[in-house]
Amino acid sequence: MNLPLSIDYTGKVVVVTGAGGLICGAMARAFAQCGAKVAALDLNEDAVKALANELKAEGYICEGYKANVLDPEALEAVRAAVNADLGPCDILVNGAGGNNPRATTDNEYHHEAKEGGKSFFDLVPDGVDFVFKLNFQGTILPTQAFAKDMVETKSGCILNISSMNSYTPLTKIPAYSAAKAAISNFTQWLATHFAGTGIRCNAIAPGFLVSAQNKALLYNEDGTPTARSAKILNGTPTHRFVDADELIGATLFLCDDRSASAITGVVLPVDAGFAAYSGV
Ligand code: NAD
């Protein structure tokens, strides 16, 4: 990857959850390219082992760990392993997260709901809990595990991943929107709570990315945008999607104590203008 910023992270231990995925895999790679010792954590062990092997083969430092961000005991065990392999955690990126169809309505508006479709009234507690837990508890629990290292060293940085839907909820995905709003709120809470410890806490709010998972929702087979995709592009003043690599500059900047020493408690949109645009 061609890095957008040249920041020296040599010797820093960077723990990235969700590193088996699109966005956090790119972040893990960027930190490794900047000299950091990267711990790549994911439920998908194969994905983080493959990433670690790839980065090691290129001469970088990275270890992959299977970790469930919802299991406090497992996280403590992974923290012990990371401490033994790489050292105490300096930077934590809370990237594991996502939505689930069980917490998604079929229609944008109830008055347009079709017979047999999943309406708001069909959303089940399990589905809502799953999404809320994965994103919100999945940010709190790794922080409880890894920020202990930072409290001891009286320094460090936590970067959470919020979303566009944290500012104004997106149709169809009430639990995911609420969970990301909770992450933005928690980012401010944690920045305040840790204010006297030397630890900073910020978040980025990525705009709309095209990924393997959502490509079929955004583009028709003939390559034209779907109705939802057209809405996104029309709601973005620059009329474009965001690339995962475009999150790297903000990530490296916010996690660097020299560049961002006075920045804590912010949620930075990286959204090609989506959050700023009223649509008129
Ligand atoms: P992704 O699905 O590619 O990656 C998410 C990773 O999290 C996966 O590798 C998955 O295995 C892992 N994961 C899921 N549950 C886990 C658990 N319990 N414990 C540990 N790991 C677990 O998704 P992505 O698009 O790279 O998203 C990364 C983050 O960015 C998420 O928090 C997502 O909500 C957020 N985000 C994504 C977009 C987007 O457009 N893709 C936009 C805004 C925010």
Side-chain angles (χ1 to χ4, degrees):
M1 179 194 302
N2 283 329
L3 294 174
L5 291 180
S6 170
I7 294 183
D8 186 9
Y9 277 98
T10 303
K12 297 282 185 193
V13 174
V14 181
V15 175
V16 183
T17 75
L22 174 75
I23 291 176
C24 295
M27 289 178 177
R29 163 168 282 281
F31 278 114
Q33 286 183 236
C34 289
K37 297 187 271 183
V38 175
L41 276 54
D42 204 290
L43 205 51
N44 182 344
E45 187 175 16
D46 290 346
V48 278
K49 293 280 184 200
L51 175 69
N53 287 339
E54 197 181 295
L55 288 170
K56 279 193 253 192
E58 293 172 42
Y60 303 119
I61 305 168
C62 180
E63 296 295 337
Y65 303 88
K66 183 181 171 74
N68 182 353
V69 292
L70 300 178
D71 182 341
E73 281 178 20
L75 285 167
E76 278 303 332
V78 172
R79 177 189 168 215
V82 171
N83 286 175
D85 296 341
L86 304 174
C89 174
D90 296 298
I91 293 164
L92 170 66
V93 178
N94 281 311
N99 189 32
N100 187 279
R102 288 182 296 152
T104 304
T105 63
D106 284 347
N107 285 84
E108 295 184 352
Y109 303 105
H110 188 70
H111 68 269
E112 290 177 355
K114 293 192 183 77
E115 194 67 27
K118 185 163 21 105
S119 80
F120 166 70
F121 299 103
D122 300 316
L123 297 182
V124 290
D126 276 1
V128 173
D129 279 354
F130 176 87
V131 172
F132 209 85
K133 264 192 182 164
L134 171 59
N135 291 279
F136 190 52
Q137 291 280 26
T139 294
I140 291 182
L141 296 173
T143 303
Q144 286 178 322
F146 288 99
K148 283 183 195 132
D149 287 349
M150 302 181 198
V151 169
E152 274 174 31
T153 56
K154 295 189 173 56
S155 67
C157 181
I158 297 157
L159 186 73
N160 298 328
I161 313 293
S162 185
S163 168
M164 278 306 97
N165 58 36
S166 67
Y167 300 96
T168 309
L170 299 180
T171 56
K172 297 187 174 184
I173 51 172
Y176 184 53
S177 297
K180 289 300 189 185
I183 287 177
S184 291
N185 186 281
F186 175 64
T187 299
Q188 294 175 313
W189 185 89
L190 198 66
T192 303
H193 189 67
F194 280 156
T197 66
I199 303 170
R200 295 180 302 108
C201 179
N202 294 299
I204 59 168
F208 295 87
L209 279 77
V210 181
S211 63
Q213 290 104 309
N214 69 10
K215 203 168 179 183
L217 293 171
L218 298 177
Y219 288 104
N220 299 310
E221 274 178 16
D222 63 4
T224 55
T226 60
R228 192 160 175 93
S229 188
K231 274 192 173 182
I232 293 168
L233 294 171
N234 287 334
T236 308
T238 51
H239 294 287
R240 64 187 286 267
F241 290 102
V242 174
D243 192 79
D245 286 356
E246 291 180 294
L247 305 173
I248 298 303
T251 300
L252 295 177
F253 164 71
L254 284 173
C255 291
D256 178 41
D257 282 336
R258 288 151 299 183
S259 312
S261 53
I263 301 179
T264 190
V266 306
V267 180
L268 179 63
V270 186
D271 66 343
F274 182 86
Y277 184 48
S278 72
V280 179

